Amino acid sequence: KQEVTQIPAALSVPEGENLVLNCSFTDSAIYNLQWFRQDPGKGLTSLLLIQSSQREQTSGRLNASLDKSSGRSTLYIAASQPGDSATYLCAVRRTGGFKTIFGAGTRLFVKA
Amino acid sequence: GAGVSQSPRYKVAKRGQDVALRCDPISGHVSLFWYQQALGQGPEFLTYFQNEAQLDKSGLPSDRFFAERPEGSVSTLKIQRTQQEDSAVYLCASSLELGAEAFFGQGTRLTVV
C-alpha cells in the first residue's frame, strides 16, 4: 500500500530564505508525482507535475526533483516571499492505477 | 468555464439528511476525481471517472456515498443519510486525460449537525 509522508509538518522562515520541502513514498512504482499549494479555505493549485521518466521540473522560483529509487521528491523554493505562505502537498499516482495518494502537507509561513 | 467549479461552497445538513454536491469540470477534460479532505489532512481519494464511466470507486467510505457523471461532463456526489463523520471538504479535480496535470475546484465544505 502506497504511503506518502511529508517532512516537516510545519516550517517558518524569514523572507528571502531558500528552502526545501520533502516528500517520501513507499512504493516506487509510480506514474507521476505532483506538487500543489493550498491556501486556507481554498482548493489546490497545481505547482509542478513530474512524470516517472523525469528527474526534475522547474517553474519560476520552484524546482521539484524526483528520485524513484529512493522514494523521494523535494520541492525547492528560492528567495521565499510572504506570498508563498500556504500548505504544500505532494501527491503520487501509482502505475496502472487511478488513485492519487496525498501526503498530509507542509504548512509554510514566510515572515516579512 | 475557466476552471473547475463546485457548488455549493458550503452546506450544512442535519444528521440523516441526503445531500448532493456538484462538480463542473474544465470543458473537454476526460478525467474527473472526487476527494474528501479532513481538517489538517491531505485529500483522500474517493472515486474516478473517465468520461461517463466510473472506473474506480474504491475510496467511497460506505454505500451511503454515490457518484455519477451521466454525460461525461458534470458530476454529482451524493451522500445519503449523512452522519457527523461525513463532515469534511469535498474536492473535485479534472484533467485532460489520466496522468495529465490535475486542476482542483475550491471544494464544498459539508458540516453535518
Side-chain angles (χ1 to χ4, degrees):
Chain A
K1 179 189 170 186
Q2 178 73 275
E3 292 182 6
V4 179
T5 304
Q6 292 188 245
I7 294 173
L11 181 63
S12 180
V13 300
E15 182 177 5
E17 192 161 297
N18 302 325
L19 59 101
V20 174
L21 307 181
N22 297 291
C23 172
S24 61
F25 46 94
T26 54
D27 184 350
S28 62
I30 67 168
Y31 186 84
N32 60 31
L33 183 146
Q34 194 165 358
W35 282 94
F36 297 88
R37 71 173 276 168
Q38 186 172 32
D39 295 280
K42 301 287 180 64
L44 280 65
T45 300
S46 175
L47 297 174
L48 291 164
L49 171 68
I50 311 178
Q51 302 294 347
S52 64
S53 59
Q54 299 173 321
R55 297 281 297 184
E56 65 178 344
Q57 284 286 335
T58 298
S59 176
R61 295 183 294 108
L62 305 180
N63 175 277
S65 67
L66 175 64
D67 183 345
K68 282 198 311 178
S69 60
S70 67
R72 291 181 185 175
S73 176
T74 60
L75 179 67
Y76 175 82
I77 302 177
S80 58
Q81 303 170 359
D84 296 330
S85 298
T87 296
Y88 290 80
L89 295 151
C90 74
V92 171
R93 189 165 80 76
R94 189 174 62 84
T95 302
F98 307 109
K99 187 177 297 192
T100 298
I101 307 298
F102 281 80
T106 294
R107 287 195 317 278
L108 172 65
F109 180 62
V110 180
K111 297 172 287 188
Chain B
V4 179
S5 177
Q6 292 188 245
S7 60
R9 287 291 318 279
Y10 304 93
K11 176 70 179 177
V12 178
K14 291 185 178 179
R15 192 168 53 181
Q17 193 176 7
D18 296 350
V19 298
L21 313 180
R22 177 187 169 104
C23 172
D24 275 275
I26 294 173
S27 179
H29 278 198
V30 166
S31 296
L32 186 145
F33 305 81
W34 282 98
Y35 295 88
Q36 180 189 60
Q37 186 175 26
L39 195 63
Q41 300 295 316
E44 291 205 7
F45 171 86
L46 293 177
T47 188
Y48 167 72
F49 288 88
Q50 184 169 294
N51 294 309
E52 70 279 2
Q54 188 175 21
L55 299 186
D56 189 338
K57 54 181 181 179
S58 63
L60 296 176
S62 77
D63 58 7
R64 296 185 296 103
F65 286 71
F66 172 76
E68 60 183 6
R69 194 185 184 198
E71 297 178 359
S73 178
V74 171
S75 178
T76 304
L77 176 66
K78 297 179 179 177
I79 309 173
Q80 297 176 324
R81 304 181 304 281
T82 52
Q83 303 294 316
Q84 281 193 314
E85 61 263 27
D86 300 335
S87 296
V89 175
Y90 290 86
L91 294 165
C92 174
S94 71
S95 62
L96 197 56
E97 59 185 11
L98 187 64
E101 187 178 13
F103 297 89
F104 279 75
Q106 299 242 38
T108 294
R109 181 178 297 278
L110 172 66
T111 303
V112 182
V113 297

